[in-house]
Amino acid sequence: MGVDYYNILKVNHNATEDDLKKAYKRLAMIWHPDKNPSARRDEAEAKFKRISEAYDVLSDPQKRQIYDLYGEEGLKSGKIPDSNASEASSSYSSRTPHFYHQHRQHPPNAASFRFNPRDADDIYAEIFGSEGGGSAGGRGQRTFRDGSFRNGHFNAGGPNGHSSEMRKAPAVENPLPCSLEDLYKGVKKKMRLSRNVYDASGKLRVVDEILPIEIKPGWKKGTKLTFPKKGNEEPGVIPADIIFVVEEKPHPVYKRDGNDLLVSQEITLLEALTGKTLDLITLDGRTLMIPLTDIINPDLEILVPNEGMPISKEPGKKGNLRLKLNVRYPSKLTAEQKSELKRVLGGVS
């Protein structure tokens, strides 16, 4: 059957000139070679040529009539039956399955017809160049009036044939809230992303993707995790990078200071003088017992080595745990208690 030009442009067989132009514009904006990254340039070039050829044939009344009657082979080979043969075989030789030509009229001058395809750049300039200085019609898109598509090699951007680089959409940052436990132990998360992409037919659709995120032990607030080109697709633009930025959730016990962990504990005056054992549940679930045997002065800070946050760049190493001890004094004392304290502490310097 050959090439189905109607299917290439995604139009029906009754498509008007306006329908064809709209279809061509939409697809050309997607598959113009200079609107695609270098990795897809060959694919885009081939599809752009097919789109241009389809529009060339269907927008030309004579070419379209011959194509509808005899298909791509008849159009390009020039082997068109004479009018009598055409009339005799009209009930059986229709090459387009969507049409039934009960009484086909032989195209005028068909015998002398020779298929002469137009250059893709001429078609592009004709469609877009007539709409305001060669604008590609898209929001903030570049112009391509100087582009050429000759001999199968697309050149754009100037007489030297160097292609202009596509602009890249600005990166999109998203917060990634993490508990202190997540940042201590490390964790794997899955983030659902919905974005606009073009399918093989050039139609825009919404797809959902699951992005795997691995939080490494010791990561800090502000750490960025980048997924290149996972933003929305749009013509002439390289999709944005999606960036997740670590945010630290508040913790009821611990506070982070760089690689150290801070804990504030309140003890009574009696405990400050006589001693106490502090019990702490660590971020990885261990019970940490810290004996206080010396007299505790107000606002004393005790350092527990290697019980802070993991150091991401130095595996196996951790910061310190810093305990700030606040002594709670009694709000009042009886005369008897004061007397007893004087007796006990009177000789203490």
Side-chain angles (χ1 to χ4, degrees):
M1 273 198 55
V3 175
D4 186 346
Y5 291 131
Y6 291 98
N7 185 53
I8 290 175
L9 292 183
K10 304 301 177 185
V11 296
N12 61 44
H13 287 258
N14 296 319
T16 64
E17 183 178 352
D18 189 52
D19 295 333
L20 295 171
K21 185 175 290 188
K22 288 180 180 178
Y24 171 83
K25 286 170 62 177
R26 177 175 60 83
L27 293 170
M29 287 290 291
I30 298 169
W31 293 110
H32 197 293
D34 201 42
K35 290 176 174 288
N36 286 268
S38 56
R40 295 180 59 187
R41 189 62 57 87
D42 290 344
E43 177 190 5
E45 190 172 299
K47 289 191 176 183
F48 185 70
K49 289 180 69 175
R50 289 199 296 271
I51 293 162
S52 300
E53 182 176 304
Y55 179 77
D56 172 38
V57 171
L58 299 183
S59 63
D60 183 300
Q62 185 182 28
K63 292 178 183 176
R64 181 173 180 174
Q65 187 178 17
I66 293 174
Y67 171 73
D68 284 346
L69 293 175
Y70 308 112
E72 181 198 13
E73 182 182 351
L75 175 72
K76 293 183 176 180
S77 69
K79 297 178 181 179
I80 300 173
D82 59 33
S83 58
N84 292 331
S86 175
E87 289 293 337
S89 60
S90 61
S91 299
Y92 305 100
S93 62
S94 175
R95 301 186 62 87
T96 52
H98 302 285
F99 282 98
Y100 178 71
H101 297 282
Q102 188 172 8
H103 298 289
R104 292 188 304 182
Q105 183 178 0
H106 196 64
N109 302 318
S112 61
F113 174 81
R114 294 293 180 270
F115 180 63
N116 184 26
R118 297 173 60 195
D119 286 327
D121 64 313
D122 292 340
I123 297 172
Y124 194 91
E126 175 187 301
I127 298 299
F128 292 108
S130 63
E131 299 184 357
S135 169
R139 195 174 51 210
Q141 305 299 327
R142 308 200 314 264
T143 60
F144 297 90
R145 295 190 67 179
D146 294 332
S148 61
F149 199 71
R150 302 180 187 277
N151 301 322
H153 299 285
F154 179 79
N155 303 306
N160 294 328
H162 297 297
S163 174
S164 301
E165 290 298 322
M166 295 170 62
R167 71 176 180 88
K168 186 170 184 177
V172 178
E173 292 193 355
N174 298 277
L176 182 63
C178 299
S179 67
L180 209 50
E181 286 86 352
D182 290 343
L183 297 175
Y184 185 91
K185 296 181 291 185
V187 69
K188 293 182 179 180
K189 296 176 177 283
K190 293 181 179 180
M191 304 296 288
R192 182 181 296 276
L193 174 70
S194 294
R195 65 190 190 108
N196 298 329
V197 300
Y198 288 100
D199 61 19
S201 67
K203 292 183 179 179
L204 191 66
R205 61 190 182 93
V206 178
V207 297
D208 288 333
E209 294 186 39
I210 301 297
L211 302 181
I213 295 179
E214 183 175 2
I215 306 296
K216 301 290 187 180
W219 274 11
K220 297 178 180 178
K221 175 183 177 182
T223 300
K224 295 183 177 182
L225 188 64
T226 301
F227 291 86
K229 300 180 183 180
K230 285 296 183 179
N232 291 327
E233 293 184 359
E234 55 180 305
V237 179
I238 299 174
D241 293 343
I242 300 297
I243 300 176
F244 291 95
V245 183
V246 171
E247 289 189 353
E248 190 178 291
K249 295 180 183 179
H251 194 275
V253 176
Y254 294 95
K255 184 177 180 180
R256 185 174 187 173
D257 181 18
N259 294 319
D260 292 346
L261 287 173
L262 309 181
V263 175
S264 292
Q265 286 281 313
E266 186 177 77
I267 61 175
T268 67
L269 177 59
L270 178 62
E271 292 168 339
L273 296 173
T274 61
K276 175 182 174 65
T277 297
L278 295 177
D279 293 338
L280 285 176
I281 303 299
T282 63
L283 293 172
D284 57 353
R286 293 175 293 116
T287 299
L288 190 63
M289 303 181 69
I290 305 169
L292 306 177
T293 56
D294 296 330
I295 293 177
I296 304 300
N297 295 316
D299 298 323
L300 177 69
E301 187 173 275
I302 295 178
L303 196 70
V304 183
N306 207 42
E307 284 294 348
M309 292 294 293
I311 301 175
S312 58
K313 295 182 179 180
E314 299 180 57
K317 291 188 177 182
K318 296 180 182 178
N320 300 317
L321 174 63
R322 289 153 46 193
L323 288 170
K324 184 177 181 181
L325 301 175
N326 301 313
V327 179
R328 186 175 75 247
Y329 288 83
S331 58
K332 60 181 180 178
L333 293 171
T334 65
E336 184 180 351
Q337 289 172 325
K338 291 178 181 179
S339 176
E340 187 66 20
L341 282 173
K342 288 178 181 178
R343 185 185 68 80
V344 174
L345 301 177
V348 179
S349 56

